[in-house]
């Protein structure tokens, strides 16, 4: 598609002649108003959550965690003693020989009997005491609780905002999450109200006080004001949040005329830094239009992340991130850019570097006759496990 791919170049020329040209040579092919109108019909875009499981199907992790913690504590108490049994096997046998009244050694470990729950005891017998005198029960009675440290299922941490929600925390705000035991914990902002809550925010734009014209390192770590301000959560946090579970993405938009809309995607994943934080997204529903998968020419799915100082885009003659002052999953270049500049007046001229959603209801007429573009008043990107469903 040489024509469309050259658009940024054309716009570069336009940038040089900023204010002189009235020609709309922006990157998004939004001339086909008929197509846009079709996408925005509510009847075609109504969200359908009927197939998603209800929250009640989730296990009560809180209870499980408590049980496991209790068990672990007891085992911690008993383990050192068990080591003594193994190491002191000879001593025990000697004691036995000396004291004829004693029963077989294993039965005379009072702490074993009192400190370990019945369901756990067979494990310890088989591992530690089996060499002494295995009981027949040891072989036939499988352990009911495993205390192996690798058992992450029972010890699962609070992975994201949906886990907080399931534990009864229903107030929106900043929470600590641990996506998995391999990654570190960090803070996120949770929306516990929208469409059943449980949303982990990846991004928020609402006042323009934070610049999104940032480097690769800054987009990797995240920046901005998590609690109540504009922010980017950080690619090195978004990746683990989407790595192990199927997540859905929700984009909330409001323009300066007070018009609101949303775009929801059934699946959303951001790969590791080694894979340049490549985006996987699809399964659109909503009212704002599918700008992330606008067309074959402008498709943000399967695109690597680009920043002004790191060109991973598909535009051969320049860096889309530098051109649009943003870090984003640029194609060549974009039909959506939610990390564009925040224009506090909402309207601006020149390069289309504002917050942009190429399927917005009036986007095709924004440029004429006022010769102005429009930005957005507020934007939020948030994710939730697909299994969480909707209330
Ligand atoms: Ca490039």
């Amino acid at each position: 598609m040489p024509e469309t791919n050259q658009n940024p170049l054309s716009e570069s020329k336009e940038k040089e002649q900023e204010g002189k040209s009235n020609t709309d040579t922006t990157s998004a092919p939004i001339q086909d108003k008929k197509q846009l109108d079709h996408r925005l019909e509510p009847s075609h875009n109504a969200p359908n959550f009927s197939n998603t499981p209800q929250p009640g199907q989730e296990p009560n992790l809180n209870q499980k965690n408590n049980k496991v913690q209790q068990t672990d504590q007891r085992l911690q108490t008993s383990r050192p003693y068990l080591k003594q049994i193994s190491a002191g096997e000879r001593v025990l046998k000697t004691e036995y020989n000396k004291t004829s009244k004693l029963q077989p050694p294993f039965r005379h470990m009072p702490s074993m009997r009192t400190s370990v729950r019945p369901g756990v005891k067979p494990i310890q017998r088989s591992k530690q005491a089996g060499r002494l005198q295995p009981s027949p029960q040891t072989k036939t009675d499988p352990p009911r609780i495993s205390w192996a440290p690798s058992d992450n299922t029972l010890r699962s941490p609070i992975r994201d905002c949906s886990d907080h929600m399931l534990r009864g925390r229903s107030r929106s705000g900043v929470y600590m999450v641990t996506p998995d035991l391999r990654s570190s914990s960090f803070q996120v902002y949770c929306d516990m109200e929208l469409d059943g809550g449980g949303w982990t925010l990846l991004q928020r734009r609402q006042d323009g006080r934070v610049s999104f014209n940032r480097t690769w390192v800054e987009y990797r770590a995240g920046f901005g004001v998590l609690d109540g301000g504009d922010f980017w959560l950080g690619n090195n946090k978004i990746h683990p949040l989407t790595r192990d579970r199927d997540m859905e993405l929700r984009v909330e938009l409001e323009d300066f005329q007070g018009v609101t809309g949303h775009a929801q995607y059934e699946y959303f994943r951001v790969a590791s830094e080694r894979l340049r934080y490549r985006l996987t997204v699809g399964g659109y529903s909503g009212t704002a239009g599918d700008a992330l998968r606008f067309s074959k020419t402008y498709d943000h799915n399967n695109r690597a992340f680009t920043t002004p100082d790191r060109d991973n885009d598909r535009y051969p003659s320049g860096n889309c991130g530098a051109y649009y002052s943003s870090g984003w999953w640029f194609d060549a270049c974009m039909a959506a850019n939610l990390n564009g500049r925040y224009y506090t007046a909402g309207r601006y001229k020149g390069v289309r570097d504002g917050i942009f959603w190429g399927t917005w209801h009036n986007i095709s007429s924004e440029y004429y006759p006022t010769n102005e573009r429009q930005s957005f008043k507020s934007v939020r990107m948030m994710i939730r496990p697909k299994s969480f469903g909707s209330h």
Side-chain angles (χ1 to χ4, degrees), residues 181-290:
L181 295 177
R182 289 170 289 171
S183 56
S184 57
S185 303
F186 51 85
Q187 288 187 325
V188 296
Y189 189 93
C190 300
D191 185 312
M192 302 306 206
E193 289 140 37
L194 178 74
D195 190 35
W199 296 100
T200 304
L201 264 66
L202 307 182
Q203 183 251 37
R204 179 169 54 211
R205 314 292 302 275
Q206 61 183 27
D207 56 35
R209 277 184 258 180
V210 174
S211 169
F212 276 60
N213 190 1
R214 303 268 185 159
T215 64
W216 180 267
V217 170
E218 289 172 303
Y219 269 98
R220 177 171 63 198
F223 54 83
V225 184
L226 197 59
D227 194 3
D230 293 11
F231 70 87
W232 179 256
L233 181 62
N235 292 339
N236 68 345
K237 301 184 180 81
I238 298 173
H239 164 60
L241 282 169
T242 63
R243 176 174 50 201
D244 297 329
R245 285 193 294 176
D246 292 334
M247 306 297 277
E248 56 184 3
L249 169 72
R250 175 128 174 168
V251 177
E252 289 278 322
L253 298 136
E254 181 182 0
D255 68 17
F256 280 92
Q257 286 76 50
V259 178
T260 60
H262 72 273
Q264 191 150 330
Y265 290 88
E266 269 185 281
Y267 53 92
F268 173 81
R269 183 168 299 220
V270 174
S272 66
E273 183 175 24
R274 189 173 60 82
L275 297 171
R276 301 173 298 167
Y277 298 120
R278 188 169 51 85
L279 171 69
T280 305
V281 68
Y284 166 83
S285 63
T287 59
D290 186 3

Side-chain angles (χ1 to χ4, degrees), residues 306 311-320 331:
T306 286
D311 185 350
N312 294 321
D313 63 41
R314 303 223 307 166
Y315 177 58
S317 307
N319 180 335
C320 299
D331 191 7

Side-chain angles (χ1 to χ4, degrees), residues 27 31 99 101 131 248 271 273 309 332 339 369 374:
S27 59
Q31 287 82 9
T99 317
K101 289 179 183 176
R131 281 170 291 173
E248 56 184 3
E273 183 175 24
D309 64 331
N339 289 342
Q374 63 177 1

Side-chain angles (χ1 to χ4, degrees), residues 96 103-107 125 128-136 138:
Y96 172 65
Q103 297 296 308
F106 187 73
R107 294 169 185 258
R125 282 189 174 187
Q128 301 291 348
R131 281 170 291 173
L132 293 178
Q133 197 165 359
S135 136
T138 304

Side-chain angles (χ1 to χ4, degrees), residues 25 63 72 96 138 242 262 334 336-337 378:
T25 53
Q63 282 182 6
D72 278 354
Y96 172 65
T138 304
T242 63
H262 72 273
M334 54 102 178
N337 176 20
S378 72

